[in-house]
Amino acid sequence: MSESAASQCVDQFSCPVCLDPLKEPVTIPCGHSYCMSCITDWWGQKEQGPPYRCPQCRKSFSQRPLLKKNTLIAEMMETLQKTSLQTAAVECDGCTTTVKNRAVKSCLQCLASFCQTHLQPHYQSPAFMKHKLVEASRHIQENFCLSHGKLLEIYCQDDRQCICCLCVTDNHKKHNVVSVDSEWTSKKKELQKMKVSCQKLIQERERGQRELSEAVKSFKSSALETMQDIEKVFTELICSLEKKRSEIKEQIRAQEKTEIDRAEELLKHLDQELTELRKRQAEIDKLLITDDQVNFLKSCQSVCVLPTFEDVPSFTQHTHLSFKDVSISAFKEILEDGCQQQTGRISREVSNVHVAQTPEPKTPNKFWQYFCDLNLDPNTAHKKLILSEENRKATHSVEDQQYPDHPERFDGYWNVLCREGLYDRCYWEVECSGNEWAVAVCFKGIACKGKSDDCRLGFNKESWRLSLDQQNVDFIHDKAQVSIPAICSSRIGVYLDHRAGTLSFYSVSDTMTLLHRVQTTFTEPLYPAFGVSTGSSVRIIQQKRVQTGKINQKCHKKKRNQKMK
């Protein structure tokens, strides 16, 4: 860009208030730009109140516009200022007049800059033919060695600096050196390659931006649609419950009226019977006090026979006379239990919805962000296993433990499950000792009775197992076996990304060494499981704190409410 062009651009980006180049530029709604301080002071004047006006076009605004720095104009101003400095005219050292011409080239040998006229000897005279010409610059002295005053025409690759010919024999003996031209050409090629790589990265990220924007748009749309569905379903559910409530209340009122009417009819009938019986009792009392024997005997025949009545029911013994026994509370419990189960399922599904998939952690601290606190389930432990350390350690025992019978207890293989069913991203570590142990995960429905493959961890479709058998380390799933090189640590880390279908086993020491990774689809929550053979034990590592901050426990737990009797 020429000096005049740069000057014109700077003039175009001048503040209309102070007439200086824009400083911290802001653009107001009408499109005009000002210095932040200038427009703030302008609108801050006493006479300048609502409506606020643009100093140029006088467009008014009912509310004072919010001012934000225009980063695009700010960057352009910074570029223009740099260009203006770089393109500032370099005067010709050969001109002797008061007004010197502008230099077009600088000579590194003459240490001077020349205009087109005074530059001609460098093109015509053999004495100047070998002089090196560069673009006119005010900083020509920077091309010379400060120590020797010689031209910096050599590049030291060891020290990564430009040097002169005397520096080679002085401070850079035996260093790898090349000419500045050669290094310049080489570096330009490297930068060209880097530019291509940079452009490729830019394109990838721009594509990522577009895809992410579309994903966010779709994400918001699906969230809105789902919330509308939820609103509709819950409204219909509430209406249905309201209708059922009205129907039950109406039924109670109808039953109440029917039974009250029947009771009133029965009361009327009982009242008639009482009237007749009291009348008969009065006649009997009258006969009992008369001394007229003949009249007594005549009248006795008519009162000696009581009228026939049905037995009076015993109302106090009939439990069906109260609505209190109608099982409304049982209905409430069943409804709440079903609602809790379904809302829990929905909550798990909602928590598994993500805009972008988070990559698997690489460092120990990153893994521990997904730490999951686990506890062994005593109801599943084989009787040969001793549980200790608050149900965090399982040790093989020669003698049977006095565990009560339980439908979920393993009785064929020396296994034990954890209480927690895991979703989403979870990580846990286990310290293993001995020569025979297994670290696994499985579905809740894995068989536990007998010694068939359905009960054996890793030998069915419902379990995934990493195990040590003497010196052999293997990963087993559905009887398919993968041999793994010997592990260097007794600590095993397990990382689960349930939604992504990723299950990874690591050998943990100062670093994380991947032993095996599974990529599949998990249709149910996974339960950590362990197999412990003779002379071996496994211990679940407790939660630890990492320097990066509080651990974010990401696994959802599904506790079992059944306790050992």
Side-chain angles (χ1 to χ4, degrees):
M1 182 183 292
S2 66
E3 180 183 1
S4 59
S7 178
Q8 285 181 351
C9 288
V10 173
D11 291 339
Q12 289 177 357
F13 290 98
S14 297
C15 175
V17 176
C18 67
L19 303 181
D20 292 331
L22 289 168
K23 298 177 182 178
E24 196 174 0
V26 294
T27 302
I28 61 177
C30 64
H32 291 112
S33 300
Y34 301 89
C35 298
M36 173 77 80
S37 57
C38 291
I39 191 64
T40 301
D41 294 342
W42 177 271
W43 283 337
Q45 297 174 9
K46 293 183 179 179
E47 64 274 10
Q48 178 66 279
Y52 297 93
R53 299 182 184 279
C54 172
Q56 280 188 278
C57 66
R58 309 304 294 173
K59 182 175 178 62
S60 61
F61 313 104
S62 59
Q63 294 184 349
R64 185 167 177 169
L66 180 64
L67 300 177
K68 290 186 178 180
K69 182 179 178 180
N70 190 320
T71 54
L72 178 60
I73 296 180
E75 291 173 357
M76 291 180 65
M77 291 301 300
E78 184 179 352
T79 303
L80 286 172
Q81 289 174 359
K82 290 180 179 178
T83 303
S84 179
L85 290 174
Q86 291 173 354
T87 58
V90 178
E91 295 180 341
C92 175
D93 294 316
C95 294
T96 58
T97 57
T98 304
V99 180
K100 297 184 177 184
N101 293 327
R102 179 178 177 180
V104 294
K105 293 288 184 180
S106 296
C107 178
L108 297 182
Q109 274 71 28
C110 299
L111 296 183
S113 300
F114 303 100
C115 64
Q116 193 67 43
T117 301
H118 293 102
L119 188 63
Q120 293 305 311
H122 281 77
Y123 294 136
Q124 299 171 356
S125 174
F128 298 107
M129 286 291 187
K130 294 183 179 180
H131 286 199
K132 186 173 183 179
L133 298 175
V134 296
E135 292 297 324
S137 172
R138 293 179 180 273
H139 309 290
I140 192 171
Q141 295 293 337
E142 294 179 1
N143 290 276
F144 289 83
C145 178
L146 297 177
S147 300
H148 305 104
K150 296 289 185 181
L151 181 64
L152 299 175
E153 55 185 355
I154 300 174
Y155 183 80
C156 178
Q157 294 178 331
D158 292 343
D159 294 336
R160 296 183 179 180
Q161 67 180 88
C162 295
I163 59 177
C164 69
C165 58
L166 296 180
C167 290
V168 176
T169 58
D170 190 0
N171 298 324
H172 298 269
K173 289 181 178 180
K174 298 182 180 180
H175 286 192
N176 294 317
V177 296
V178 295
S179 68
V180 168
D181 285 340
S182 175
E183 187 67 19
W184 177 69
T185 303
S186 175
K187 291 298 183 184
K188 282 191 68 175
K189 290 180 180 178
E190 289 182 12
L191 286 177
Q192 287 293 344
K193 292 180 180 179
M194 188 177 295
K195 180 181 177 181
V196 172
S197 299
C198 186
Q199 288 175 339
K200 183 178 179 181
L201 292 174
I202 290 173
Q203 291 172 356
E204 289 176 353
R205 275 141 188 80
E206 287 176 344
R207 184 180 67 253
Q209 278 186 330
R210 292 192 298 271
E211 292 176 353
L212 184 57
S213 297
E214 289 297 323
V216 169
K217 184 178 179 181
S218 175
F219 192 78
K220 290 181 178 180
S221 176
S222 66
L224 178 60
E225 184 179 348
T226 303
M227 286 189 290
Q228 291 173 344
D229 289 344
I230 289 174
E231 186 69 25
K232 179 182 177 182
V233 169
F234 273 82
T235 299
E236 292 175 351
L237 181 61
I238 291 171
C239 290
S240 177
L241 288 174
E242 290 282 357
K243 182 179 179 181
K244 293 299 179 184
R245 180 179 66 175
S246 298
E247 290 176 355
I248 293 174
K249 288 173 65 176
E250 186 62 32
Q251 185 182 1
I252 291 174
R253 291 192 186 99
Q255 185 69 12
E256 177 189 21
K257 184 178 184 306
T258 299
E259 292 304 310
I260 292 299
D261 289 346
R262 193 167 72 88
E264 289 178 350
E265 184 68 26
L266 182 59
L267 283 171
K268 183 179 179 180
H269 185 68
L270 289 174
D271 186 61
Q272 292 175 351
E273 291 180 349
L274 281 171
T275 300
E276 187 175 351
L277 288 172
R278 288 191 181 104
K279 181 179 178 181
R280 183 62 56 89
Q281 185 180 15
E283 293 176 352
I284 293 174
D285 289 340
K286 185 178 179 180
L287 287 175
L288 289 175
I289 61 176
T290 184
D291 292 333
D292 187 346
Q293 295 177 346
V294 175
N295 184 48
F296 175 86
L297 292 174
K298 287 181 179 181
S299 302
C300 183
Q301 295 179 3
S302 60
V303 299
C304 283
V305 180
L306 293 174
T308 303
F309 300 113
E310 294 180 359
D311 294 336
V312 178
S314 178
F315 302 107
T316 58
Q317 297 179 1
H318 291 187
T319 59
H320 61 270
L321 290 178
S322 173
F323 287 104
K324 293 181 180 180
D325 295 323
V326 177
S327 56
I328 300 298
S329 59
F331 171 78
K332 174 177 175 288
E333 291 176 1
I334 293 172
L335 191 62
E336 285 183 344
D337 184 59
C339 184
Q340 182 70 25
Q341 291 181 10
Q342 293 304 313
T343 53
R345 177 187 61 80
I346 294 172
S347 177
R348 291 192 297 271
E349 292 176 353
V350 168
S351 65
N352 281 334
V353 178
H354 306 283
V355 175
Q357 181 62 40
T358 302
E360 185 166 318
K362 300 297 182 184
T363 63
N365 283 353
K366 294 293 184 181
F367 277 100
W368 277 91
Q369 290 179 357
Y370 302 105
F371 170 79
C372 184
D373 194 16
L374 300 177
N375 298 275
L376 298 173
D377 186 357
N379 291 334
T380 65
H382 189 279
K383 292 186 178 182
K384 290 289 186 183
L385 301 183
I386 300 175
L387 303 189
S388 59
E389 297 185 15
E390 298 180 346
N391 291 337
R392 293 183 183 274
K393 183 176 181 180
T395 307
H396 187 272
S397 172
V398 177
E399 300 179 354
D400 286 354
Q401 304 302 302
Q402 298 302 312
Y403 296 143
D405 292 335
H406 195 280
E408 296 180 357
R409 188 177 307 286
F410 286 91
D411 60 10
Y413 292 100
W414 300 328
N415 298 335
V416 60
L417 303 185
C418 286
R419 292 180 179 274
E420 295 78 14
L422 307 181
Y423 295 91
D424 205 10
R425 298 182 184 90
C426 305
Y427 177 75
W428 64 97
E429 288 184 4
V430 182
E431 185 73 36
C432 305
S433 65
N435 294 322
E436 292 186 54
W437 47 258
V439 177
V441 293
C442 65
F443 292 150
K444 176 72 176 296
I446 188 172
C448 55
K449 302 302 182 183
K451 300 198 70 173
S452 67
D453 286 343
D454 291 339
C455 309
R456 191 177 181 186
L457 294 175
F459 283 77
N460 47 68
K461 294 182 178 181
E462 296 186 334
S463 59
W464 294 258
R465 159 184 173 175
L466 179 80
S467 61
L468 172 70
D469 185 0
Q470 300 305 323
Q471 299 299 320
N472 299 319
V473 182
D474 299 293
F475 172 80
I476 308 172
H477 170 63
D478 197 17
K479 301 180 184 178
Q481 186 169 320
V482 178
S483 181
I484 296 173
I487 56 178
C488 57
S489 173
S490 60
R491 181 171 292 196
I492 302 299
V494 185
Y495 173 75
L496 168 68
D497 189 337
H498 192 280
R499 179 175 179 269
T502 302
L503 176 67
S504 304
F505 295 89
Y506 290 86
S507 175
V508 182
S509 54
D510 293 335
T511 58
M512 308 284 292
T513 303
L514 179 64
L515 300 176
H516 191 75
R517 178 182 287 117
V518 176
Q519 187 65 57
T520 184
T521 300
F522 300 117
T523 58
E524 301 178 25
L526 290 174
Y527 288 78
F530 307 100
V532 186
S533 190
T534 305
S536 300
S537 67
V538 294
R539 179 173 62 88
I540 300 171
I541 305 299
Q542 290 181 287
Q543 178 176 348
K544 76 174 183 178
R545 299 285 175 178
V546 293
Q547 294 180 354
T548 53
K550 187 176 180 181
I551 291 172
N552 180 16
Q553 186 169 330
K554 299 287 286 184
C555 64
H556 296 272
K557 304 174 183 177
K558 185 180 179 182
K559 299 268 188 181
R560 299 182 186 179
N561 295 322
Q562 299 177 351
K563 296 184 179 180
M564 294 179 60
K565 297 181 179 180

